[in-house]
Amino acid sequence: MTELIPQAAQREAFLAELHSIALAYFEEPAPEIATWSGTQCAYLQLSEGYQRQADRAEALGWPTTRLAADHLAVLTDPRPIADFLSEFVENLANE
């Protein structure tokens, strides 16, 4: 089972690589997009907090995978995420 909080050394290494971001970046609203139906999309749900978004992606017909993970899984358990992305890209290449 992955830990919800990474080991201290892993956390420090991650934080050391982060770049400063101006507060204004977080205040800027994201543009509204009517739909992505003409775009190749997939959705990877990493935690229960994104159930609604995963349901929406599925309703749009996107390949959707739900992992019992957390938002730090890219750092703490990257293999399933890499596998998902590899499969998605391979499927795009074969279309």
Side-chain angles (χ1 to χ4, degrees):
M1 180 173 155
T2 59
E3 297 177 21
L4 294 179
I5 300 174
Q7 298 295 328
Q10 187 178 31
R11 182 180 186 281
E12 292 304 316
F14 172 75
L15 292 174
E17 293 181 17
L18 294 178
H19 300 281
S20 295
I21 298 174
L23 181 58
Y25 173 84
F26 297 102
E27 295 170 343
E28 181 72 25
E32 286 290 323
I33 298 173
T35 183
W36 290 8
S37 63
T39 304
Q40 292 292 333
C41 299
Y43 192 86
L44 176 60
Q45 179 187 352
L46 297 178
S47 66
E48 292 176 4
Y50 294 95
Q51 184 68 38
R52 185 175 55 84
Q53 290 85 350
D55 291 345
R56 172 88 170 119
E58 225 167 32
L60 290 170
W62 298 359
T64 303
T65 298
R66 300 164 194 263
L67 296 179
D70 57 70
H71 67 280
L72 293 177
V74 173
L75 295 173
T76 59
D77 191 20
R79 174 54 59 194
I81 296 163
D83 290 345
F84 170 82
L85 292 173
S86 293
E87 182 179 334
F88 177 65
V89 170
E90 186 175 316
N91 289 338
L92 283 178
N94 292 330
E95 289 184 359

